Tab-separated table of all heavy atoms in Angstrom:
chain	number	residue	atom	x	y	z
D	253	HIS	N	-2.651	0.663	1.892
D	253	HIS	CA	-3.523	-0.462	2.208
D	253	HIS	C	-3.382	-0.910	3.718
D	253	HIS	O	-3.156	-2.058	3.979
D	253	HIS	CB	-3.350	-1.640	1.324
D	253	HIS	CG	-3.901	-1.463	-0.015
D	253	HIS	ND1	-3.320	-1.860	-1.190
D	253	HIS	CD2	-5.111	-0.842	-0.382
D	253	HIS	CE1	-4.086	-1.551	-2.238
D	253	HIS	NE2	-5.238	-1.040	-1.741
D	256	GLU	N	-0.892	-3.500	5.155
D	256	GLU	CA	0.337	-3.709	4.373
D	256	GLU	C	1.424	-2.698	4.923
D	256	GLU	O	2.592	-2.788	4.444
D	256	GLU	CB	0.052	-3.499	2.887
D	256	GLU	CG	-0.973	-4.487	2.400
D	256	GLU	CD	-1.273	-4.192	0.887
D	256	GLU	OE1	-0.526	-3.425	0.153
D	256	GLU	OE2	-2.389	-4.615	0.400
D	298	ARG	N	-7.259	-3.980	5.363
D	298	ARG	CA	-6.689	-3.403	4.150
D	298	ARG	C	-7.392	-2.096	3.830
D	298	ARG	O	-6.746	-1.154	3.411
D	298	ARG	CB	-6.837	-4.428	3.058
D	298	ARG	CG	-6.144	-4.056	1.715
D	298	ARG	CD	-6.174	-5.326	0.780
D	298	ARG	NE	-5.595	-5.047	-0.514
D	298	ARG	CZ	-6.251	-4.394	-1.473
D	298	ARG	NH1	-7.423	-3.956	-1.261
D	298	ARG	NH2	-5.616	-4.165	-2.661
D	409	HIS	N	3.706	-1.893	-1.054
D	409	HIS	CA	2.537	-2.818	-0.888
D	409	HIS	C	3.012	-4.221	-0.604
D	409	HIS	O	4.198	-4.535	-0.931
D	409	HIS	CB	1.659	-2.799	-2.142
D	409	HIS	CG	0.965	-1.527	-2.362
D	409	HIS	ND1	-0.294	-1.350	-2.056
D	409	HIS	CD2	1.400	-0.424	-2.937
D	409	HIS	CE1	-0.707	-0.117	-2.383
D	409	HIS	NE2	0.341	0.501	-2.928
D	410	THR	N	2.128	-5.068	-0.133
D	410	THR	CA	2.479	-6.481	0.004
D	410	THR	C	1.265	-7.320	-0.423
D	410	THR	O	0.101	-6.802	-0.483
D	410	THR	CB	2.737	-6.828	1.585
D	410	THR	OG1	1.631	-6.573	2.350
D	410	THR	CG2	3.935	-6.091	2.040
D	478	GLU	N	5.810	-4.032	-4.753
D	478	GLU	CA	4.814	-5.108	-4.306
D	478	GLU	C	5.639	-6.321	-3.878
D	478	GLU	O	6.247	-6.979	-4.671
D	478	GLU	CB	3.974	-5.538	-5.529
D	478	GLU	CG	2.812	-4.549	-5.842
D	478	GLU	CD	1.583	-4.859	-4.945
D	478	GLU	OE1	1.671	-5.669	-4.003
D	478	GLU	OE2	0.628	-4.155	-5.175
Q	750	ZN	ZN1	-1.637	-2.934	-1.521
Side-chain angles (χ1 to χ4, degrees):
H253 280 144
E256 299 175 19
R298 190 170 174 279
H409 292 259
T410 61
E478 281 279 4

